[in-house]
Amino acid sequence: MFISLTLFYKKVLIFRKEYESIDDEIDEALRILRRLHENKYIIAEDTMNEHRRYLNNLLKQLEKERKKVAHDLPGNNTDTFKNNVLNMMEQVKQAKRKMKDLEKVKNGLEKFPKMS
């Protein structure tokens, strides 16, 4: 099959324009994916840092309650303190469950479809 040189050049130019169009589309898709991924990361980071602060405050409260119970004089009512500590321990368990949910978010961010 013989093709004229002029027709060959035209086909090359058409292919180049198509390639440039596809190349631009790929660049735009990558920019969008980067923004989406960065936004998801920022949201996940904020959520996890908020959870970290919550756990830190909970730990501080537990330490205060532990010290109160440890230094309580015999005969004083320590039941209130013990109940406070037990309630906070329950909050810690709930926080652990929430952390597992946050791990799922993190894992979701790591998944990305493979291109073949």
Side-chain angles (χ1 to χ4, degrees), residues 10-27:
K10 285 182 183 179
K11 289 192 179 278
V12 168
L13 288 174
I14 290 170
F15 176 76
R16 179 180 290 155
K17 288 180 182 180
E18 288 175 353
Y19 167 79
E20 289 170 354
S21 174
I22 291 170
D23 192 47
D24 290 343
E25 288 175 22
I26 290 171
D27 285 342

Side-chain angles (χ1 to χ4, degrees), residues 61-82 85:
Q61 289 175 347
L62 276 170
E63 284 297 318
K64 284 180 185 178
E65 294 297 326
R66 184 191 60 80
K67 288 177 182 177
K68 286 179 185 177
V69 171
H71 292 100
D72 197 27
L73 299 173
N76 285 351
N77 186 0
T78 59
D79 289 341
T80 304
F81 294 126
K82 289 178 184 176
V85 170

Side-chain angles (χ1 to χ4, degrees), residues 97-114:
R97 287 191 290 270
K98 182 169 183 171
M99 195 63 206
K100 286 182 184 181
D101 291 341
L102 292 174
E103 284 290 321
K104 290 177 188 174
V105 170
K106 178 194 72 115
N107 291 337
L109 288 174
E110 291 172 348
K111 292 180 184 174
F112 197 82
K114 293 182 181 179

Side-chain angles (χ1 to χ4, degrees), residues 26-102:
I26 290 171
D27 285 342
E28 180 63 18
L30 290 172
R31 279 191 293 275
I32 290 168
L33 283 172
R34 178 174 291 173
R35 278 194 306 258
L36 287 173
H37 191 68
E38 286 172 355
N39 288 340
K40 287 181 180 180
Y41 173 81
I42 290 168
I43 291 167
E45 181 183 38
D46 289 346
T47 303
M48 289 184 181
N49 282 331
E50 180 182 324
H51 193 64
R52 181 186 307 184
R53 285 187 298 274
Y54 169 76
L55 288 172
N56 190 352
N57 289 335
L58 196 57
L59 177 63
K60 288 176 184 177
Q61 289 175 347
L62 276 170
E63 284 297 318
K64 284 180 185 178
E65 294 297 326
R66 184 191 60 80
K67 288 177 182 177
K68 286 179 185 177
V69 171
H71 292 100
D72 197 27
L73 299 173
N76 285 351
N77 186 0
T78 59
D79 289 341
T80 304
F81 294 126
K82 289 178 184 176
N83 285 335
N84 287 343
V85 170
L86 290 175
N87 287 334
M88 284 186 247
M89 293 305 293
E90 182 58 35
Q91 288 176 321
V92 169
K93 287 179 189 177
Q94 290 173 1
K96 282 183 180 181
R97 287 191 290 270
K98 182 169 183 171
M99 195 63 206
K100 286 182 184 181
D101 291 341
L102 292 174

